Amino acid sequence: MALRSTLRLGLTAVSFWPFLPIAARAPVYGRLVFELAIDKRVPWVRKAILGLAAAYVISPIDFIPDFIPFISRVDDVVVTIIALDLFLEGVPRELMIEKMYTLGIDGRELERDMEAARRFLPLPIRTIARRLPALIEASADVVRAELEARGYIETDDKDKEAISA
């Protein structure tokens, strides 16, 4: 029985080997994400994705219940990878280069690490996740229109032009 547990633990550790370089650079990547999240040039939808992911990871409600060992943490990892990937994908290229230069991050390392993390996700999940920013924007437009119709908020012509653009 002990051999079986040791083998299972070893296989679990091996399955996470692509994340070791990312874990080593986590403080620098965390600083990059923080700097980008507070920057006004990053679209609000991408920031919302980070917020939703953080809320999901912190929330006690999960797709896979927490009492199931090992697998219960996989959904948190998947949500985190998807959120970071979508967030970084939505950052304007010039801003990303500026922040990486400021923090001394090699863009090739970042892309290699993100690619290793993406390989962890099945293709159907990645495909569905790519639609998330458009879904969030559409939902916000519906809520905004409903609030305007009920008279809770007012938008002037300048705001309407910015929304439609």
Side-chain angles (χ1 to χ4, degrees):
M1 192 67 154
L3 178 63
R4 183 179 239 175
S5 297
T6 305
L7 178 65
R8 187 177 307 142
L9 180 63
L11 290 175
T12 301
V14 168
S15 68
F16 283 108
W17 75 268
F19 297 106
L20 292 178
I22 298 170
R25 290 185 280 276
V28 176
Y29 291 162
R31 180 72 181 177
L32 174 66
V33 169
F34 177 76
E35 289 290 327
L36 291 169
I38 62 173
D39 197 297
K40 294 183 186 311
R41 296 172 285 180
V42 176
W44 70 269
V45 173
R46 302 305 171 142
K47 294 176 184 181
I49 290 171
L50 281 183
L52 290 172
Y56 178 81
V57 170
I58 292 170
S59 169
I61 300 169
D62 288 332
F63 290 126
I64 302 171
D66 284 338
F67 62 83
I68 300 173
F70 173 68
I71 295 178
S72 65
R73 299 296 175 220
V74 171
D75 64 334
D76 292 340
V77 171
V78 167
V79 167
T80 302
I81 291 170
I82 288 171
L84 288 173
D85 191 26
L86 290 174
F87 176 73
L88 294 174
E89 181 182 277
V91 173
R93 188 175 187 337
E94 300 79 27
L95 177 60
M96 186 68 144
I97 292 169
E98 172 191 325
K99 295 294 182 179
M100 286 191 311
Y101 178 76
T102 302
L103 296 171
I105 298 173
D106 182 9
R108 293 172 298 201
E109 280 184 352
L110 176 62
E111 187 53 41
R112 236 186 345 260
D113 291 343
M114 286 306 297
E115 188 56 40
R118 283 183 203 114
R119 280 191 298 251
F120 181 74
L121 302 175
L123 184 60
I125 291 176
R126 285 185 292 178
T127 304
I128 292 169
R130 296 243 181 257
R131 298 179 183 154
L132 188 60
L135 179 65
I136 291 173
E137 265 189 89
S139 300
D141 289 343
V142 168
V143 169
R144 187 179 299 117
E146 185 63 29
L147 291 174
E148 284 177 8
R150 293 182 182 213
Y152 292 120
I153 61 172
E154 293 180 19
T155 54
D156 57 7
D157 293 333
K158 182 175 153 186
D159 290 338
K160 288 180 183 177
E161 288 175 18
I163 291 169
S164 64

